[in-house]
Amino acid sequence: MSEFFTTKELAEFLRIKERKVYDLAASGVVPCTRAMGKLLFPKDAVETWLEENSSGGKHSSARRSPEDLPPILLGSHDPLLEWALRESGTNLAMGFSGSGDGLERFALHQGSGTALHLFDAVSRTWNVASVSARFAGQDVVLVEWAKRSRGLVINPDKADHIRSLSDITGLRLAGRADGTGTQVLLSHLLRDNGIEESAAKPSIIAHTEFDAALALREGQVDVTFGLKSVANQLGLAFVPIVEERFDLLISRRHWFEEPFQTFWSYCQSDLFKARADSLTGYDLSDFGRVHWNG
């Protein structure tokens, strides 16, 4: 028997429409993973989610104690991270809904870790400014996952016409929600280059890197500000703009428990390194480096 629900199976299990399941997944409410564009829902994590959200249940409060964190990695989506979580065989579920939302939910103790890539325009650094004041004195640690190549993802036939950020003005853009690391960074870069944000206003809002790139490949938009790894997987052209740092903010207590230790050990394997090389766009030279301690 499969350990996962498909979208249709979960809809039948919850007695709701499939469209509602997609909405729950997109908002990060229900734990899910994605394999080749297909949503899958870990049955154990779904049952835990139902228990936590049942009226009168022992976990019905939105905030739980740090000792009672569910085994869910929140925050920003990354293709290599998603693959490693799935392939490592841990019971860690994924609730990706963006860097900003992940930090909010992590602060409410709704997961044991969160992924983020938030650029701070004042210090011109990644992630530390976003977590250091808010989580000071808490038993958490910020570790590097990878540096990622981010830029303009376009269809190959447009590669000769789109070379820089200034070329995207007036085009149909697949953007990300406010508060996501991608949208925060894009807004900063537009301002830095003297481009009015209104000139690069998103035509649609995508929930993940893959959703944005798929909208492009299907002709719904002309460009998205995405990852080289996703462009490579989908056969799209890529114009590099910036290298960003993608980190994991983890509860230190849960870091030393079996799920995270199994996951982290897998990430030291040759299989993991080969996968990163095949995706392209990742620099793992500082993988695991601690950037901040709570």
Side-chain angles (χ1 to χ4, degrees), residues 35 47 52 60 71 154 196 207 213 218 231 252 256 259 263 269 271 294:
E47 290 173 0
E52 291 167 352
S60 58
I154 51 181
E196 293 289 335
H207 294 291
E218 292 168 0
R252 195 189 312 275
F256 291 104
F263 166 66
S269 69
L271 280 174

Side-chain angles (χ1 to χ4, degrees), residues 153 227-238 277-281:
V153 181
L227 294 174
K228 182 179 181 180
S229 59
V230 174
N232 181 56
Q233 281 184 278
L234 297 179
L236 298 168
F238 180 78
D277 288 342
S278 69
L279 288 175
T280 73

Side-chain angles (χ1 to χ4, degrees), residues 1 11 32 61 72 75 110 137 141 151 177 202 210 220 253-254 260 292:
M1 182 180 295
C32 69
S61 171
I72 300 174
Q110 293 180 4
V141 61
F210 272 112
Q220 299 177 41
R253 176 179 180 273
H254 290 77
F260 266 112
W292 182 79

